[in-house]
Amino acid sequence: MDPLKAPRPRLATVWLGGCSGCHMSFMDLDERLLDLLTRAELVYSPIMDVKRYPERVDIALVEGAIANQEHLEQIYRVREHTHTLVSFGDCAVSGNVTALRNPLGRAEPVLRRVYLENGDLGAQLPHAPGIVPPLLDRVVPIHAVVPVDVFLPGCPPSADLIYFVLAELLSGRKPDLAERLRFG
Ligand code: SF4
């Protein structure tokens, strides 16, 4: 049987409050992507044209922190429909760069700082209800909102590390990153 037609674990990648650098690192898997896609079916990702997170996802890599209302709604749906949720990159794991605005307090001072105190951007707060999701007052990592199964740190995690984690999960093992992470 054609291996691409046999049932494979369903893989998703999700982009929340991050810079997309973690997804760039995912793309750096290069030819190893082909190997992964013979072992898993990619069912949702910013690199695909699928609008709604599907049901029955086996593994999801979730990049970014929870920074606005849309992220919050998305992560609840992802958690509900995903067996193994991977917190993908430092923004997802700790808030990291996305959470740098937290010392400004609530969302409103952040918007004032960006739109009113920066002369280049004009002198109006953005007003697009229903189009631009409202910012949350505080940026939080994913595990502050829903349970996370695997933490994959790095800014961004290297392609080698991403491959290791996915290969282990696809082999039915929980990845042990203790010997593979370097801090400082
Ligand atoms: S962890 Fe780093 S590379 Fe990934 S989204 Fe955050 S800032 Fe970007």
Side-chain angles (χ1 to χ4, degrees):
M1 178 190 260
D2 181 341
L4 291 179
K5 291 193 175 144
R8 287 163 287 154
R10 289 159 61 81
L11 172 67
T13 77
V14 180
W15 180 16
L16 301 181
C19 73
S20 85
C22 293
H23 271 84
M24 293 298 109
S25 204
F26 178 72
M27 298 306 290
D28 281 343
L29 285 166
D30 297 329
E31 68 274 9
R32 287 178 292 184
L33 277 173
L34 299 178
D35 168 53
L36 283 175
L37 294 179
T38 61
R39 301 168 65 187
E41 179 188 3
L42 191 63
V43 293
Y44 181 88
S45 174
I47 64 172
M48 307 167 64
D49 189 20
V50 176
K51 304 291 184 227
R52 187 164 168 78
Y53 193 81
E55 299 182 354
R56 295 182 297 100
V57 172
D58 295 293
I59 301 166
L61 298 179
V62 185
E63 170 189 325
I66 310 300
N68 66 33
Q69 190 64 35
E70 187 176 86
H71 299 154
L72 201 53
E73 290 162 15
Q74 177 82 333
I75 198 62
Y76 285 131
R77 179 168 174 82
V78 169
R79 180 66 281 181
E80 183 182 354
H81 294 291
T82 306
H83 182 268
T84 302
L85 192 160
V86 180
S87 201
F88 178 30
D90 282 351
C91 291
V93 170
S94 70
N96 192 36
V97 174
T98 313
L100 287 177
R101 72 169 165 89
N102 282 347
L104 287 177
R106 296 170 299 106
E108 198 264 347
V110 176
L111 294 171
R112 295 187 76 79
R113 172 72 65 89
V114 172
Y115 288 93
L116 300 185
E117 296 166 22
N118 184 332
D120 293 340
L121 293 178
Q124 285 190 55
L125 292 178
H127 184 67
I131 299 174
V132 179
L135 292 184
L136 301 180
D137 278 336
R138 191 166 180 78
V139 175
V140 292
I142 292 174
H143 66 272
V145 180
V146 296
V148 164
D149 302 298
V150 176
F151 291 90
L152 172 49
C155 183
S158 69
D160 287 346
L161 205 56
I162 298 169
Y163 184 75
F164 171 76
V165 165
L166 288 177
E168 287 291 281
L169 290 173
L170 289 169
S171 299
R173 293 185 290 270
K174 183 155 186 175
D176 180 0
L177 296 176
E179 297 295 317
R180 292 171 183 267
L181 295 178
R182 296 282 180 275
F183 296 97

